mmCIF file of all heavy atoms in Angstrom:
data_model
loop_
_atom_site.group_PDB
_atom_site.id
_atom_site.type_symbol
_atom_site.label_atom_id
_atom_site.label_comp_id
_atom_site.label_asym_id
_atom_site.label_seq_id
_atom_site.Cartn_x
_atom_site.Cartn_y
_atom_site.Cartn_z
ATOM 1 N N PRO A 48 83.775 130.583 -26.593
ATOM 2 C CA PRO A 48 85.219 130.936 -26.629
ATOM 3 C C PRO A 48 86.026 129.930 -27.390
ATOM 4 O O PRO A 48 85.756 128.728 -27.348
ATOM 5 C CB PRO A 48 85.577 130.956 -25.166
ATOM 6 C CG PRO A 48 84.285 131.179 -24.390
ATOM 7 C CD PRO A 48 83.230 130.497 -25.231
ATOM 8 N N ALA A 49 87.071 130.430 -28.125
ATOM 9 C CA ALA A 49 87.898 129.549 -28.896
ATOM 10 C C ALA A 49 88.536 128.467 -28.083
ATOM 11 O O ALA A 49 88.658 127.318 -28.522
ATOM 12 C CB ALA A 49 88.938 130.416 -29.650
ATOM 13 N N ASP A 50 88.961 128.796 -26.850
ATOM 14 C CA ASP A 50 89.551 127.772 -26.000
ATOM 15 C C ASP A 50 88.608 126.624 -25.794
ATOM 16 O O ASP A 50 89.061 125.472 -25.685
ATOM 17 C CB ASP A 50 89.903 128.393 -24.623
ATOM 18 C CG ASP A 50 91.074 129.378 -24.676
ATOM 19 O OD1 ASP A 50 91.810 129.347 -25.701
ATOM 20 O OD2 ASP A 50 91.255 130.147 -23.736
ATOM 21 N N THR A 51 87.327 126.865 -25.721
ATOM 22 C CA THR A 51 86.332 125.872 -25.440
ATOM 23 C C THR A 51 86.236 124.872 -26.605
ATOM 24 O O THR A 51 86.312 123.679 -26.447
ATOM 25 C CB THR A 51 84.976 126.427 -25.080
ATOM 26 O OG1 THR A 51 85.108 127.223 -23.912
ATOM 27 C CG2 THR A 51 83.975 125.353 -24.834
ATOM 28 N N PHE A 52 85.966 125.411 -27.841
ATOM 29 C CA PHE A 52 85.732 124.458 -28.945
ATOM 30 C C PHE A 52 87.009 123.842 -29.405
ATOM 31 O O PHE A 52 87.002 122.722 -29.987
ATOM 32 C CB PHE A 52 84.907 125.076 -30.057
ATOM 33 C CG PHE A 52 85.449 126.288 -30.741
ATOM 34 C CD1 PHE A 52 86.442 126.245 -31.676
ATOM 35 C CD2 PHE A 52 84.838 127.513 -30.505
ATOM 36 C CE1 PHE A 52 86.918 127.351 -32.341
ATOM 37 C CE2 PHE A 52 85.271 128.688 -31.170
ATOM 38 C CZ PHE A 52 86.347 128.600 -32.078
ATOM 39 N N ARG A 53 88.176 124.479 -29.128
ATOM 40 C CA ARG A 53 89.437 123.755 -29.443
ATOM 41 C C ARG A 53 89.635 122.608 -28.508
ATOM 42 O O ARG A 53 90.190 121.567 -28.850
ATOM 43 C CB ARG A 53 90.616 124.751 -29.366
ATOM 44 C CG ARG A 53 90.723 125.654 -30.593
ATOM 45 C CD ARG A 53 92.155 126.236 -30.736
ATOM 46 N NE ARG A 53 92.457 127.100 -29.557
ATOM 47 C CZ ARG A 53 92.373 128.420 -29.613
ATOM 48 N NH1 ARG A 53 92.045 128.991 -30.793
ATOM 49 N NH2 ARG A 53 92.697 129.121 -28.553
ATOM 50 N N ALA A 54 89.202 122.796 -27.220
ATOM 51 C CA ALA A 54 89.274 121.716 -26.249
ATOM 52 C C ALA A 54 88.350 120.599 -26.637
ATOM 53 O O ALA A 54 88.651 119.385 -26.476
ATOM 54 C CB ALA A 54 88.977 122.207 -24.828
ATOM 55 N N TRP A 55 87.115 120.927 -27.120
ATOM 56 C CA TRP A 55 86.226 119.868 -27.627
ATOM 57 C C TRP A 55 86.886 119.072 -28.738
ATOM 58 O O TRP A 55 86.777 117.890 -28.791
ATOM 59 C CB TRP A 55 84.955 120.491 -28.158
ATOM 60 C CG TRP A 55 84.084 121.137 -27.117
ATOM 61 C CD1 TRP A 55 84.186 121.096 -25.763
ATOM 62 C CD2 TRP A 55 82.938 122.007 -27.356
ATOM 63 N NE1 TRP A 55 83.246 121.860 -25.136
ATOM 64 C CE2 TRP A 55 82.420 122.406 -26.078
ATOM 65 C CE3 TRP A 55 82.279 122.462 -28.516
ATOM 66 C CZ2 TRP A 55 81.310 123.237 -25.989
ATOM 67 C CZ3 TRP A 55 81.159 123.271 -28.382
ATOM 68 C CH2 TRP A 55 80.673 123.659 -27.112
ATOM 69 N N GLU A 56 87.553 119.824 -29.617
ATOM 70 C CA GLU A 56 88.213 119.133 -30.736
ATOM 71 C C GLU A 56 89.302 118.148 -30.246
ATOM 72 O O GLU A 56 89.376 117.041 -30.687
ATOM 73 C CB GLU A 56 88.865 120.174 -31.637
ATOM 74 C CG GLU A 56 89.629 119.632 -32.820
ATOM 75 C CD GLU A 56 90.427 120.708 -33.557
ATOM 76 O OE1 GLU A 56 90.129 121.877 -33.376
ATOM 77 O OE2 GLU A 56 91.377 120.314 -34.268
ATOM 78 N N ARG A 57 90.118 118.597 -29.264
ATOM 79 C CA ARG A 57 91.190 117.711 -28.760
ATOM 80 C C ARG A 57 90.627 116.525 -28.066
ATOM 81 O O ARG A 57 91.115 115.399 -28.249
ATOM 82 C CB ARG A 57 92.071 118.537 -27.773
ATOM 83 C CG ARG A 57 92.988 119.540 -28.353
ATOM 84 C CD ARG A 57 94.020 120.019 -27.355
ATOM 85 N NE ARG A 57 93.431 120.522 -26.145
ATOM 86 C CZ ARG A 57 93.155 121.814 -25.987
ATOM 87 N NH1 ARG A 57 93.296 122.698 -26.936
ATOM 88 N NH2 ARG A 57 92.602 122.199 -24.829
ATOM 89 N N ARG A 58 89.591 116.723 -27.287
ATOM 90 C CA ARG A 58 89.096 115.625 -26.451
ATOM 91 C C ARG A 58 88.108 114.706 -27.184
ATOM 92 O O ARG A 58 88.118 113.513 -26.998
ATOM 93 C CB ARG A 58 88.423 116.184 -25.144
ATOM 94 C CG ARG A 58 87.942 115.133 -24.195
ATOM 95 C CD ARG A 58 87.665 115.690 -22.840
ATOM 96 N NE ARG A 58 88.873 116.236 -22.242
ATOM 97 C CZ ARG A 58 89.745 115.532 -21.583
ATOM 98 N NH1 ARG A 58 89.568 114.196 -21.477
ATOM 99 N NH2 ARG A 58 90.831 116.066 -21.042
ATOM 100 N N TYR A 59 87.256 115.285 -27.998
ATOM 101 C CA TYR A 59 86.140 114.535 -28.619
ATOM 102 C C TYR A 59 86.246 114.441 -30.141
ATOM 103 O O TYR A 59 85.486 113.710 -30.737
ATOM 104 C CB TYR A 59 84.767 115.121 -28.246
ATOM 105 C CG TYR A 59 84.560 115.185 -26.709
ATOM 106 C CD1 TYR A 59 84.591 116.412 -26.074
ATOM 107 C CD2 TYR A 59 84.318 114.057 -25.976
ATOM 108 C CE1 TYR A 59 84.389 116.482 -24.688
ATOM 109 C CE2 TYR A 59 84.078 114.101 -24.616
ATOM 110 C CZ TYR A 59 84.148 115.331 -23.994
ATOM 111 O OH TYR A 59 83.933 115.409 -22.644
ATOM 112 N N GLY A 60 87.127 115.158 -30.752
ATOM 113 C CA GLY A 60 87.183 115.212 -32.209
ATOM 114 C C GLY A 60 86.073 116.010 -32.854
ATOM 115 O O GLY A 60 85.738 115.855 -34.028
ATOM 116 N N VAL A 61 85.411 116.897 -32.108
ATOM 117 C CA VAL A 61 84.349 117.755 -32.544
ATOM 118 C C VAL A 61 84.640 119.172 -32.140
ATOM 119 O O VAL A 61 84.899 119.419 -30.926
ATOM 120 C CB VAL A 61 83.007 117.330 -31.945
ATOM 121 C CG1 VAL A 61 81.880 118.199 -32.474
ATOM 122 C CG2 VAL A 61 82.715 115.854 -32.215
ATOM 123 N N PRO A 62 84.624 120.122 -33.100
ATOM 124 C CA PRO A 62 84.381 120.009 -34.510
ATOM 125 C C PRO A 62 85.597 119.415 -35.218
ATOM 126 O O PRO A 62 86.598 119.041 -34.560
ATOM 127 C CB PRO A 62 84.111 121.456 -34.968
ATOM 128 C CG PRO A 62 84.959 122.227 -33.986
ATOM 129 C CD PRO A 62 84.837 121.509 -32.666
ATOM 130 N N ARG A 63 85.530 119.359 -36.605
ATOM 131 C CA ARG A 63 86.636 118.788 -37.341
ATOM 132 C C ARG A 63 87.134 119.758 -38.410
ATOM 133 O O ARG A 63 86.886 119.609 -39.630
ATOM 134 C CB ARG A 63 86.157 117.467 -38.050
ATOM 135 C CG ARG A 63 85.662 116.415 -37.062
ATOM 136 C CD ARG A 63 85.373 115.109 -37.795
ATOM 137 N NE ARG A 63 86.578 114.344 -37.948
ATOM 138 C CZ ARG A 63 86.674 113.219 -38.602
ATOM 139 N NH1 ARG A 63 85.596 112.730 -39.241
ATOM 140 N NH2 ARG A 63 87.759 112.532 -38.680
ATOM 141 N N PRO A 64 87.847 120.823 -37.974
ATOM 142 C CA PRO A 64 88.331 121.789 -38.955
ATOM 143 C C PRO A 64 89.479 121.207 -39.797
ATOM 144 O O PRO A 64 90.139 120.276 -39.388
ATOM 145 C CB PRO A 64 88.875 122.926 -38.031
ATOM 146 C CG PRO A 64 89.302 122.193 -36.773
ATOM 147 C CD PRO A 64 88.267 121.091 -36.622
ATOM 148 N N GLN A 65 89.597 121.736 -40.990
ATOM 149 C CA GLN A 65 90.731 121.432 -41.833
ATOM 150 C C GLN A 65 91.875 122.426 -41.565
ATOM 151 O O GLN A 65 91.632 123.421 -40.889
ATOM 152 C CB GLN A 65 90.312 121.432 -43.283
ATOM 153 C CG GLN A 65 89.290 120.356 -43.628
ATOM 154 C CD GLN A 65 89.059 120.207 -45.119
ATOM 155 O OE1 GLN A 65 89.904 120.443 -45.927
ATOM 156 N NE2 GLN A 65 87.811 119.856 -45.456
ATOM 157 N N ARG A 66 93.029 122.130 -42.060
ATOM 158 C CA ARG A 66 94.198 122.969 -41.859
ATOM 159 C C ARG A 66 94.694 123.602 -43.123
ATOM 160 O O ARG A 66 94.691 122.965 -44.158
ATOM 161 C CB ARG A 66 95.318 122.162 -41.204
ATOM 162 C CG ARG A 66 94.991 121.564 -39.859
ATOM 163 C CD ARG A 66 95.218 122.490 -38.707
ATOM 164 N NE ARG A 66 95.040 121.862 -37.414
ATOM 165 C CZ ARG A 66 95.497 122.364 -36.280
ATOM 166 N NH1 ARG A 66 96.204 123.489 -36.277
ATOM 167 N NH2 ARG A 66 95.222 121.756 -35.138
#
Side-chain angles (χ1 to χ4, degrees):
D50 289 344
T51 299
F52 58 77
R53 282 199 297 259
W55 293 350
E56 178 190 340
R57 287 194 304 269
R58 183 165 296 278
Y59 302 108
V61 181
R63 304 187 82 187
Q65 297 188 31
R66 298 275 185 163

